[in-house]
Amino acid sequence: ALAAVSALARSVRSPPRFSSPLVRRGDDMSCVASAAASRVAPRVSAADGARRRDRVSRGARRGARPMATTAEAASVDVAAIEDAWIAGSIERCAVGDGVAGLREGALARLAHARMPTQRVEDYRFTDLAPLVAAKPAAADPALAAGVDASKWTLEDASTTRVVLVDGVFCEHLSDLSGIPKDVECGVVSAGAKPSDALGAVSAIRAGVFDDLNAVMANDVVILTVPAGVKMRTPLHVVQLSTALPGDESIATSAPRLVVDVQDGAEVVLVEEFASAAGAELSAYWLNGVCEIRVGKNACVTHSMVQAQSRKAVHTRATHVTQAEESTYSLAEVNVGGAVGRHDLTVTQRGPRTSTNLSCFNLAGAGQCLDLHSAVTLDHEEGKTDQVHKCIVSHATGRGVFDGNVKVNKEAQRTDAGQISRNLLLVPKATVNVKPNLQIVADDVVCTHGCTVSDLEEEELFYIQSRGLSPATARSLLVAGFGLEIASKLVGKDLRVRAEKAVRDALDQDDVVMVA
């Protein structure tokens, strides 16, 4: 009896043990569980909230510049928000009146929200320390006047170009003269009519970062393609970030994009993310949201290149809904950011719908690049094909992939495929991969798989047998690994910039690349 009581006491005192998925490292195979300390911000009491409001109002009465202006503080009351880090970030970053219909609901959801830690399953392998340890603040709007966006151009989209600097539309850098007359393209701040797709999906699936974007966003890019209109020229959206002087705060931006492609319409969307001149070595935070609604028989081709600075934090959510017999195709390349996180959700809302997702991530020194995707099929004869590729080129780099494909009961005769291929170039490089296929329907063709390895010795030998040096052979294989994804990007200019970004990133990690 004493032994039983002692065992029970030990079980109560001991924390539960959790198993972790198999993680492949460059030099061994082991199960690695997250042991990072929790970075939960303290809760804010009612008294603390009252003191915060009083502090802001006293600062305004003195004429000193508080964390937000008097009008801004009045429109964004953070006293009800329990998480101190979230409350402080909103105080400093939610300037202006915001976007009608977004801010109020997001504030209500954030009241009891917590910043994700590695104890949260969806962030188990994504350490947000570079963000949580920082002090986000509103970017300086005066810096936009000196930004040069001439490096980011597309020959086919010179007159269908939107440039955002720190999430704000820059008219002097943009050119929308080539937008067809039937197509509506503009920004809310310039009088564009908000689409009913704005917030329709993100409010339902909102996480903390979606809601922070909704609170902090001051503008929205709206693209509405009417039924039957085929927009032949790509819409090129360039999103540049600046940095604040000093190390006390990091510039924060919350760009938002809404694309509504109605029945039978077609559009090509190209997005680029980069640091403006002078911010290439600086820290900043871009927290973006894109909502895409694809109508019946409509088609959206989407290309995305993320080349932020290696000190930046890049969080992005893309929410896609597809109607019957529609097609959505995404090709993305990610090479920047200390933390780069993309939350991608696709919901097929009609039969005979096609979804194609292609992603290439390159994680170097101190980088964590993460793709979390969720595809839901609810109707018959749907198709989805996902290819994820990742290279980790440094021992301190980490790649993360969590891909979920859910085939519900009514989605009979579905054809779903998912593959993740990962290349570790050095010992101790790490990837955490969890391909996940949930099938409820019983008449389907579904496959998924994952590979993690260094370069194959047989492939290296084959190339060297043709008279090439070992360095050249290795270089060719590394370059060719991501070529499958990069070749799907729209526009030669974009492909050249993406390939250069990959080569420059590999050079930083001393990976020999032969021209």
Side-chain angles (χ1 to χ4, degrees):
L2 289 175
V5 171
S6 177
L8 177 62
R10 286 196 301 272
S11 67
V12 171
R13 289 194 302 268
S14 301
R17 296 181 180 271
F18 298 95
S19 62
S20 66
L22 196 62
V23 179
R24 175 68 186 263
R25 294 185 180 276
D27 55 351
D28 64 3
M29 180 77 79
S30 60
C31 285
V32 180
S34 172
S38 173
R39 295 182 176 83
V40 178
R43 292 182 178 270
V44 180
S45 65
D48 291 337
R51 284 195 293 271
R52 181 184 287 119
R53 289 198 304 272
D54 184 58
R55 184 170 64 252
V56 172
S57 61
R58 286 201 309 271
R61 288 195 299 270
R62 289 197 304 267
R65 187 182 189 276
M67 290 184 179
T69 65
T70 307
E72 293 154 6
S75 62
V76 185
D77 185 359
V78 299
I81 297 178
E82 296 175 350
D83 189 296
W85 190 90
I86 293 176
S89 298
I90 292 175
E91 255 189 342
R92 294 184 296 270
C93 301
V95 298
D97 296 329
V99 179
L102 284 181
R103 181 172 285 183
E104 296 78 8
L107 281 172
R109 291 188 295 271
L110 286 171
H112 304 290
R114 310 289 287 171
M115 276 298 290
T117 71
Q118 290 184 284
R119 293 184 178 182
V120 178
E121 181 62 27
D122 282 349
Y123 289 84
R124 185 176 183 181
F125 302 111
T126 306
D127 188 0
L128 296 175
L131 177 61
V132 177
K135 184 179 178 182
D140 185 356
L143 296 177
V147 170
D148 180 10
S150 59
K151 288 171 57 178
W152 297 275
T153 59
L154 280 182
E155 183 178 355
D156 297 334
S158 58
T159 57
T160 52
R161 183 171 183 247
V162 174
V163 178
L164 306 178
V165 177
D166 295 322
V168 179
F169 177 67
C170 288
E171 185 175 3
H172 68 286
L173 297 175
S174 305
D175 187 349
L176 297 176
S177 61
I179 297 292
K181 294 181 180 179
D182 295 333
V183 176
E184 297 179 12
C185 182
V187 291
V188 172
S189 62
K193 181 182 178 181
S195 168
D196 59 359
L198 176 61
V201 178
S202 62
I204 298 173
R205 300 186 175 179
V208 172
F209 291 109
D210 293 79
D211 285 333
L212 284 171
N213 174 278
V215 172
M216 297 177 184
N218 272 323
D219 211 348
V220 181
V221 178
I222 305 287
L223 174 66
T224 302
V225 185
V229 174
K230 294 177 172 53
M231 187 172 166
R232 302 299 183 187
T233 305
L235 176 66
H236 186 202
V237 182
V238 181
Q239 304 188 37
L240 303 178
S241 298
T242 64
L244 295 173
D247 298 327
E248 182 179 352
S249 302
I250 61 171
T252 302
S253 60
R256 198 173 188 106
L257 174 63
V258 176
V259 179
D260 187 5
V261 185
Q262 299 176 1
D263 295 353
E266 294 182 8
V267 72
V268 176
L269 174 64
V270 177
E271 293 187 86
E272 286 191 84
F273 303 88
S275 56
E280 297 91 341
L281 302 177
S282 301
Y284 52 84
W285 176 28
L286 183 144
N287 181 36
V289 172
C290 177
E291 296 171 287
I292 301 175
R293 183 167 63 186
V294 190
K296 181 179 178 181
N297 290 309
C299 179
V300 174
T301 303
H302 191 182
S303 294
M304 190 159 48
V305 176
Q306 186 268 103
Q308 307 281 23
S309 83
R310 283 204 174 182
K311 292 185 178 180
V313 176
H314 179 93
T315 52
R316 162 65 180 249
T318 304
H319 303 293
V320 183
T321 58
Q322 294 183 249
E324 179 180 351
E325 296 183 347
S326 64
T327 301
Y328 173 73
S329 300
L330 169 66
E332 63 171 314
V333 175
N334 300 283
V335 298
V339 176
R341 165 94 175 203
H342 187 194
D343 287 286
L344 171 64
T345 65
V346 181
T347 304
Q348 294 188 357
R349 294 183 173 174
R352 296 175 295 282
T353 304
S354 178
T355 304
N356 302 289
L357 308 175
S358 302
C359 173
F360 171 60
N361 289 345
L362 172 59
Q367 290 184 279
C368 176
L369 296 187
D370 179 359
L371 172 64
H372 266 62
S373 65
V375 181
T376 304
L377 297 91
D378 286 316
H379 299 270
E380 61 185 13
E381 298 181 9
K383 293 183 179 181
T384 178
D385 182 35
Q386 182 174 26
V387 178
H388 166 263
K389 289 193 171 186
C390 179
I391 294 178
V392 185
S393 57
H394 195 274
T396 59
R398 179 186 293 271
V400 181
F401 173 63
D402 189 316
N404 184 63
V405 178
K406 187 174 184 180
V407 183
N408 289 323
K409 185 176 182 179
E410 300 301 323
Q412 302 294 340
R413 297 181 297 283
T414 286
D415 185 352
Q418 182 188 71
I419 185 68
S420 175
R421 303 188 186 280
N422 303 271
L423 186 61
L424 307 181
L425 298 183
V426 294
K428 297 185 179 180
T430 305
V431 293
N432 303 97
V433 183
K434 190 173 75 172
N436 187 4
L437 189 59
Q438 302 177 35
I439 306 173
V440 181
D442 55 12
D443 182 9
V444 298
V445 177
C446 296
T447 61
H448 72 151
C450 171
T451 63
V452 182
S453 66
D454 193 354
L455 294 174
E456 295 290 341
E457 293 296 333
E458 291 183 0
E459 295 175 346
L460 290 170
F461 176 78
Y462 177 82
I463 296 178
Q464 291 177 58
S465 67
R466 266 53 186 172
L468 299 177
S469 68
T472 302
R474 191 171 181 84
S475 174
L476 289 173
L477 289 175
V478 170
F481 185 80
L483 186 61
E484 176 188 358
I485 309 300
S487 63
K488 297 180 181 180
L489 296 172
V490 174
K492 181 180 178 180
D493 323 53
L494 185 65
R495 291 191 292 271
V496 169
R497 279 195 295 275
E499 291 171 7
K500 183 179 184 303
V502 169
R503 286 182 173 272
D504 290 346
L506 290 169
D507 285 344
Q508 289 187 55
D509 297 318
D510 298 324
V511 178
V512 178
M513 297 295 291
V514 178

